[in-house]
Amino acid sequence: MSSTLVSSASTQLPGSLRVVPLTELAETSQIVLSDKPRLINVTHQIPYSCTLVDRTSPAGASTTGANLSVGSPSINRRSPSVTPRQLASHGPSYFQDGTQSSAMGAACPSSDTHPDSDCVLEQRRGHSALYSGIKSLEKDMETIQIGWVGEVADQDGYVVPSKNLTESHKLIMQEKLWQKEKVVPIFLDDGRAAGHYEGYCKSVLWPLFHYILWDEATDGRTEKKNWEDYVFVNQQFADTVVEQYQAGDIVWIHDYHLTLVPHMVRQRLPGAAIGVFIHAPFPSSEIFRCLPKRVEVLNGLLGANQVGFQTYSYARHFISCCTRVNGYESTPRGVDALGSTVWVGTFPIGIDAERVERQRRTPGVLPKMDAIRKTYKGKRIIVGRDKLDLVKGVQQKLQAFEKFLNDYPEMQGEVVLIQVTSPPLVENPKLEAKVAELVAHINGTYGSLNFTPVHHYHQHIARDEYYALLSVADIGLITSVRDGMNTTSLEYIMCQSENHGPLILSEFTGTAGSLSGALMVNPWDYQGVARQLHKHVLSHTAQIWAKTFIAELTLNASTWDQSTPTPYLNVSLIMDHYKHTKKRLLMFDYDGTLTPIRKTPGAAVPQEHMLRALSSLAADPCNIVWVISGRDQIVLEEWLGHVANLGFSAEHGSFIRQPGSQKWINFTESLDMSWKNDVLGIFNYYTERTPGSFVEQKRSSVTWHYRLADPEFGAFQAKECQNHLENAVLSKLPVEILVGKKNLEVRPTIVNKGEIVKRLLHQHPDVEFVMCAGDDKTDEDMFRALAELSNTQHSSNAVGGAQKVVDEAAESYNHNLVAETATKFAEATLMHSQEHSLAVPQKNSIITARDGPYLKRSVMVEGDSSSFGSESATLSSTASLGSSMSSQGSTPLLGGNEPFSITIGQALKKTLANWHVTSPEELIRVLSILAGTDEV
């Protein structure tokens, strides 16, 4: 696939990072999913640690002579995160069959190719929930794992510098890892790896994501170097993904170490389905905006189709950052950025409940449980297990325990705290010293010769000891001050299925949000709390997390809202189609389409040459002309009511008036409009604080205008107001926010301009020419309705469940309310047909989409078989579900001609229209040419 970029419009960022919108790519493509897609998982490190073994050395001999160890052994041992192990003097022969490895693109040589060395793999400690969830997907799809190889050790446990790794060593590890579990390792220079991980990830991103701001002032040179390393490493990962990618694959990228990879891959593979999951917390915009490279990091993540987080608050923070920092428009479900809609979701990770249950019942656990009980006989055991990081709250836990012993002296000698702290990848000597000091202080103050209140173990403990400790504990204590998803709490609950000990959990952990419902019980009912928590853990396993994320990514990728540059309207082509058709449907928005946008709504009066062209078009008996506007009925009647044979739709489809009729039909009178009071309160709040803004009330919607406000301050306040509405109103009421030109409008979700377009096409199935023009987001509903008539629905096994998901999502809507509104559409159309004797479809008349069926969710309204009311009056239960008319039968819509959907704006504007003009004046000129009141 081509990786050429349009350099003229691209933005060159520091560190050689280029951000290019999708609409500017030389090659654009819809998302492609194969029938059986492969899954490419991209993590910072591979799940295995690698040890090189010298086959020629006797057992236990040093490998220094083979250039596999360097420097002082005291400072070059591998990180303690790797489990110590005993190695055989000679590793087994793994490559004797000479089979071909598709990861390398070449045949794997036999073992004789590497006669002097071998590689031993061992499962890496940590991230067990992540790897378990990914591994569970192997049952359903082929899975490839990409990651940095990490520290490579020799057989004596000393780290091998990257410069000492020969191509032969690398090939051994590549072959072994591919044969093990289709793992593709990435080899990085030690300096680049350190700058990426210790330099940028752990010194810049990790503190910021955990609400810790930097307290050291520097000249910026170190930060610049670390950023360059971060970009370089991300590019290495992106290049590896592109090398492994096959058309139709799914790419899943994990965590903050690789935030730039999604956009880098998107530039090379515009049609790839890409998902990102951030396992760490995501900070609020007030914290995130402190990051110097904030725009680049956000744009990097927005190269994905879907971004997932552990909790709803983290997802909300990300969307807020995209809106407030980068200025992108957003909804509660996603962000419109770089030419596409990126879906944002919450996918709380769990644990592998079956594995934990199996491992905690292994024979080695029971003897250790007995040993712990004997050691602390007669004592209540409080257990804590954390990584020794600042955000894990170990200091706060020790201080709280000291306060407990001080306030309740009768508990001294009765309660013991066993705290296990696993060493982090990057040591923190100051924190270690502080913790050791607190432990010594508590033991010295409240301990005695025969009793020690705090037992602190700063080390990795064996799995059997860990599960034994969780099983015998009386209380689990987790006091993280900020955490992504603390799985220790879930493992504790699993191990407490017999003991039923309570869990004291910090509200700042990711699991607190997931477990809050189960904790709403009597706190003294320990058994009841444990039972509810245990039930929750089983229903939120790591396997369910992985499958849910991939299912959502597959669905969102198959329906990705990606727009491409629109060509300028071909006047000759539209004239030719217009002249050679006998029945035509023309639909126009008003503000910004038939008249330019004015600073005040009342100033947008129609111009004479526009009225002349519109009147001429409406007077043609072959034409059916409608103005579908957000304006109210009074304004439309005052400005355009004198134009004969002109149909009107007011307030975005809430009211209609048929051509030649004087009666307005209200489609919203049965709707509950009490939401307007909440919206007015928010709009009035921002009006008081935004000079030049004002509120416009309509019968079915409320609009906040800021055209007269300071442009920058008005736009900023609009984003703040939109976020306020999304958090306070959208989450609980059936309304939606329309982001217009210098305004925000709130309306019921059940009514929009697209439904009017569908009604008109249903009423006039024999039209041969359709023209529709608009300028803002409210008009995209019209373009979407027309696009559904000409787009082919993708039908592959990978997305075969999309219809089921859509149907299930639609079931939550009030079908009675939808049916009532649909009935009003049918009644209005029937009334018009009786008044004007227009041709109407008979009972079995059916409309067909040219290219095939598409997703729909409709309500059938039955009536008299002799009237239009007997037809299937459909109304979408929600526009976003892509509802449409029936798509069966044999009558081709538009006589096989494509509709002319025209947007007012630039070619790179994100739109579903298929043509554009740059101003209302240009559109009016085209209308004048079609009406014969102007010359070409």
Side-chain angles (χ1 to χ4, degrees), residues 421-582:
T421 54
S422 55
L425 293 179
V426 180
E427 299 290 342
N428 189 335
K430 291 183 179 180
L431 179 60
E432 292 180 23
K434 181 63 176 178
V435 169
E437 180 183 340
L438 279 171
V439 171
H441 170 71
I442 295 172
N443 289 338
T445 304
Y446 303 99
S448 62
L449 291 176
N450 59 354
F451 174 72
T452 303
V454 179
H455 294 258
H456 178 219
Y457 301 95
H458 182 51
Q459 64 188 60
H460 291 286
I461 61 175
R463 180 192 302 157
D464 291 348
E465 294 175 341
Y466 173 58
Y467 287 125
L469 193 59
L470 295 184
S471 298
V472 302
D474 296 296
I475 297 175
L477 183 58
I478 298 173
T479 56
S480 303
V481 295
R482 186 70 59 179
D483 210 351
M485 185 61 65
N486 192 302
T487 56
T488 301
S489 59
L490 306 180
E491 293 170 330
Y492 172 81
I493 295 164
M494 289 292 297
C495 293
Q496 286 288 314
S497 58
E498 291 88 13
N499 200 27
H500 304 298
L503 171 68
I504 301 175
L505 181 66
S506 166
E507 65 179 77
F508 297 107
T509 61
T511 48
S514 302
L515 302 177
S516 59
L519 287 173
M520 299 300 293
V521 295
N522 186 343
W524 298 100
D525 183 8
Y526 298 155
Q527 184 174 353
V529 172
R531 186 186 305 115
Q532 291 296 327
L533 293 174
H534 186 253
K535 179 180 178 182
H536 172 86
V537 171
L538 290 177
S539 63
H540 290 77
T541 64
Q543 290 81 357
I544 293 177
W545 161 75
K547 292 179 181 178
T548 304
F549 185 92
I550 292 300
E552 282 285 316
L553 173 59
T554 301
L555 175 62
N556 290 332
S558 66
T559 58
W560 197 31
D561 186 7
Q562 176 182 336
S563 302
T564 54
T566 52
Y568 190 83
L569 179 63
N570 188 325
V571 179
S572 299
L573 179 64
I574 195 172
M575 285 182 59
D576 181 67
H577 281 242
Y578 183 88
K579 291 178 179 179
H580 292 87
T581 50
K582 300 300 182 183

Side-chain angles (χ1 to χ4, degrees), residues 585-591 593-595 610-611 614-615 618 624-632 635-637 639-641 643 645-653 655-657 659 664 753 756-757 760 771 773 779 782 927:
L585 176 61
L586 297 89
M587 299 167 287
F588 308 105
D589 172 45
Y590 184 76
D591 289 277
T593 302
L594 293 179
T595 184
M610 185 274 287
L611 289 173
L614 199 62
S615 299
I624 304 162
V625 185
W626 279 72
V627 173
I628 305 175
S629 174
R631 295 277 186 170
D632 59 30
V635 172
L636 291 179
E637 285 184 333
W639 288 349
L640 301 175
V643 179
N645 298 320
L646 187 61
F648 295 103
S649 172
E651 298 192 27
H652 303 292
F655 305 86
I656 68 166
R657 197 186 87 174
W664 287 92
K753 293 182 178 182
I756 300 299
V757 171
L760 294 177
M771 179 181 182
D779 303 313
M782 296 194 293
L927 299 184

Side-chain angles (χ1 to χ4, degrees), residues 78-91:
R78 179 146 55 184
S79 168
S81 62
V82 178
T83 308
R85 56 187 177 270
Q86 296 293 329
L87 301 178
S89 59
H90 297 282

Side-chain angles (χ1 to χ4, degrees), residues 8 28 200 206 209 224 372 395 579 605 619 621 639 679 716 853 900 922:
S8 60
T28 58
Y200 201 77
W206 186 89
F209 278 30
K224 181 176 183 295
I372 296 174
Q395 291 184 75
K579 291 178 179 179
V605 295
W639 288 349
V679 173
F716 173 80
F900 286 87
E922 294 178 7

